[in-house]
Amino acid sequence: VRPLRPEVMLARRAGLPALARLSALGAVGNRLWGATLKQEAPVQIRQVEQAGAEFDQLWRACAADASFSAVRDSEWVNWRYLAAPAHTYRVWLAEQGGRAVGYVAGRLQEGGDRKVAFIADILTSRDDGGARQALIRHAGTYFYERGAEAVATLAIPGTWMAEAFRRAGFVLSWGAFSVQFVPFASSPPFEQMRDPQQWRLTGGDFDVV
């Protein structure tokens, strides 16, 4: 989780609503956050209403980074996020030199007096830290501007994706759970499956976000 409006979170926990008016605290923090997420090369990010062939090309470029993953192509993005019946997700595509280099999907949840955002999914090449940071920053800025007090996500501890979020200012918080599977193959590759780095799992693979 990464606080976007720490003054709001502090006000609730301390029972002092007046603290929520210290909006400059969150504004300064987010400006500093954006300045720390450096890009090695310009990345253009745009919101999409329908995932097309560029998502298929992106998946083909990223598929080999993990041995175990949902197939994150255009069919997946359209079904899981853009046509989701229960929540309204935003999907942003990152492009560089006319080529898709990543996407991020997220949503804003409102309940009572709270607004919390979730990054449900993010896909980039394992080696493209610049696109990854640009997408995380873009999603965070979007949700901050719409009043979210924090943005949360899920990642497997110790993996390169978890490290990417840590570098982007996220800290460990609530929301951990384990994953089980039923093998349909006669001889699953257990040794490979025991390596967390071989998996690409995000909150969007489940029903928690």
Side-chain angles (χ1 to χ4, degrees), residues 41-108:
V43 176
Q44 293 77 44
I45 298 177
R46 60 182 174 92
Q47 184 177 327
V48 299
E49 303 296 335
Q50 185 76 14
E54 63 271 33
F55 284 80
D56 299 323
Q57 296 166 2
L58 174 63
W59 169 246
R60 287 193 293 270
C62 299
D65 286 340
S67 299
F68 310 106
S69 172
V71 177
R72 286 172 161 78
D73 57 6
S74 61
E75 184 177 5
W76 165 262
V77 174
N78 284 320
W79 173 79
R80 178 62 181 88
Y81 302 114
L82 296 174
H87 300 298
T88 299
Y89 290 92
R90 306 293 178 185
V91 176
W92 295 279
L93 180 70
E95 296 170 301
Q96 198 170 53
R99 177 176 61 89
V101 293
Y103 78 76
V104 64
R107 70 178 179 89
L108 185 65

Side-chain angles (χ1 to χ4, degrees), residues 99-151:
R99 177 176 61 89
V101 293
Y103 78 76
V104 64
R107 70 178 179 89
L108 185 65
Q109 177 172 292
E110 300 185 45
D113 61 344
R114 297 193 66 187
K115 287 186 179 181
V116 178
F118 296 98
I119 291 179
D121 199 357
I122 185 167
L123 176 66
T124 67
S125 167
R126 181 181 295 213
D127 298 327
D128 196 346
R132 211 158 34 245
Q133 294 300 308
L135 285 164
I136 293 172
R137 176 176 56 191
H138 185 87
T141 300
Y142 176 89
F143 291 126
Y144 170 75
E145 291 174 348
R146 281 149 187 83
E149 64 184 64
V151 57

